[in-house]
Amino acid sequence: MKSHALLISLLAASQAGAETSRQLDAHEHGVSTLNIAVDGQTMAMEFHAPGADIVGFEHPAETEADLAKVESALAVLSSPLDLFVLPPDAGCTVVSTQAMLERDEAAAEHDDHHDEVDHAKHDDHDDHDDHDDHDDHDDHDDHDEASGHTEFHATYTMTCTNLPKLTDITFAYFESFENAREVEVQVITGSGAASFHVEKDAPSLNLRSLF
């Protein structure tokens, strides 16, 4: 229950400042987001990454090769300490992990709208054969583009027995996923919140000012 409360608190605190930016950048290739909340000895993380960053494509996985890539990526994303390396002296251990692949809300809403339009066109098909054929082609083009956006989402809960030693995070994540270029990080602790940008060329985050 405590870890769940941490994540709820994290999302509520970061929503006003970060949600607009996240919506605008949701499909910016190379850019992921990592939210971190720390309470006592408990640390919760929430991670989002565009599908293209993780598996090299954004369309829904359908072929055996694509499905294998997704399963492999989810296995890697389920080992947070291999992606976000913490100082051993901080004494951090993983309590729980969850990793999944999601489609963004815009694509889902587009699919709902597309289904409604298709249904309406079917009703009027006899009266507008030529016009509908043209519209169907355009709509399918738009549909393919809009439905192509997928996102990996992972949540982690850890305990750290010596938080003052949590001085930095090394982003081995960039080594695991070559298409990743940047992670936007927000950290919330009892003393406040701070935002950072971690880039592939400088994959280390200094946390000394937070603990």
Side-chain angles (χ1 to χ4, degrees), residues 3 41-43 80-81 92-97 156-160:
S3 63
Q41 293 187 341
T42 302
M43 179 167 64
L81 292 180
C92 297
T93 57
V94 177
V95 176
S96 65
T97 70
Y156 315 114
T157 304
M158 307 180 196
T159 57
C160 299

Side-chain angles (χ1 to χ4, degrees), residues 101-113:
L101 178 62
E102 301 174 335
R103 292 180 62 192
D104 68 11
E105 293 180 3
E109 290 174 0
H110 184 278
D111 283 349
D112 291 341
H113 174 69

Side-chain angles (χ1 to χ4, degrees), residues 53-84:
D53 288 18
I54 304 299
V55 291
F57 58 85
E58 287 191 331
H59 58 262
E62 295 179 352
T63 67
E64 290 186 6
D66 285 353
L67 290 169
K69 287 181 180 179
V70 169
E71 288 301 316
S72 177
L74 290 173
V76 174
L77 289 170
S78 296
S79 300
L81 292 180
D82 291 336
L83 300 173
F84 311 108

Side-chain angles (χ1 to χ4, degrees), residues 3-4 21 69 95 100 153-154 205:
S3 63
H4 178 72
S21 174
K69 287 181 180 179
V95 176
M100 65 191 74
H153 175 208
L205 174 61

Side-chain angles (χ1 to χ4, degrees), residues 30-51:
V31 181
S32 304
T33 61
L34 176 65
N35 294 324
I36 302 172
V38 179
D39 182 15
Q41 293 187 341
T42 302
M43 179 167 64
M45 293 182 173
E46 184 178 41
F47 181 68
H48 293 266

Side-chain angles (χ1 to χ4, degrees), residues 18-30:
E19 184 64 20
T20 299
S21 174
R22 175 170 152 64
Q23 288 175 352
L24 291 174
D25 296 337
H27 304 301
E28 182 179 350
H29 293 185

Side-chain angles (χ1 to χ4, degrees), residues 40-211:
Q41 293 187 341
T42 302
M43 179 167 64
M45 293 182 173
E46 184 178 41
F47 181 68
H48 293 266
D53 288 18
I54 304 299
V55 291
F57 58 85
E58 287 191 331
H59 58 262
E62 295 179 352
T63 67
E64 290 186 6
D66 285 353
L67 290 169
K69 287 181 180 179
V70 169
E71 288 301 316
S72 177
L74 290 173
V76 174
L77 289 170
S78 296
S79 300
L81 292 180
D82 291 336
L83 300 173
F84 311 108
V85 182
L86 309 178
D89 290 345
C92 297
T93 57
V94 177
V95 176
S96 65
T97 70
Q98 183 179 32
M100 65 191 74
L101 178 62
E102 301 174 335
R103 292 180 62 192
D104 68 11
E105 293 180 3
E109 290 174 0
H110 184 278
D111 283 349
D112 291 341
H113 174 69
H114 184 267
D115 290 342
E116 292 173 1
V117 171
D118 277 353
H119 179 70
K121 286 180 178 179
H122 179 73
D123 291 342
D124 297 338
H125 181 73
D126 293 339
D127 295 333
H128 305 282
D129 283 346
D130 294 339
H131 179 69
D132 283 349
D133 288 344
H134 177 72
D135 284 351
D136 283 345
H137 178 73
D138 290 343
D139 285 343
H140 279 297
D141 287 344
D142 293 342
H143 172 72
D144 290 342
E145 180 179 353
S147 63
H149 298 303
T150 57
E151 179 179 84
F152 283 85
H153 175 208
T155 57
Y156 315 114
T157 304
M158 307 180 196
T159 57
C160 299
T161 58
N162 194 0
L163 271 176
K165 296 294 185 179
L166 187 58
T167 54
D168 59 83
I169 301 176
T170 299
F171 283 68
Y173 162 72
F174 294 115
E175 299 176 5
S176 297
F177 302 105
E178 62 180 12
N179 292 327
R181 295 290 179 270
E182 180 182 344
V183 180
E184 297 178 352
V185 183
Q186 178 154 307
V187 183
I188 298 176
T189 68
S191 59
S195 297
F196 307 90
H197 294 275
V198 181
E199 298 182 352
K200 187 171 187 173
D201 293 339
S204 182
L205 174 61
N206 189 331
L207 298 176
R208 288 176 174 81
S209 61
L210 299 181
F211 300 104

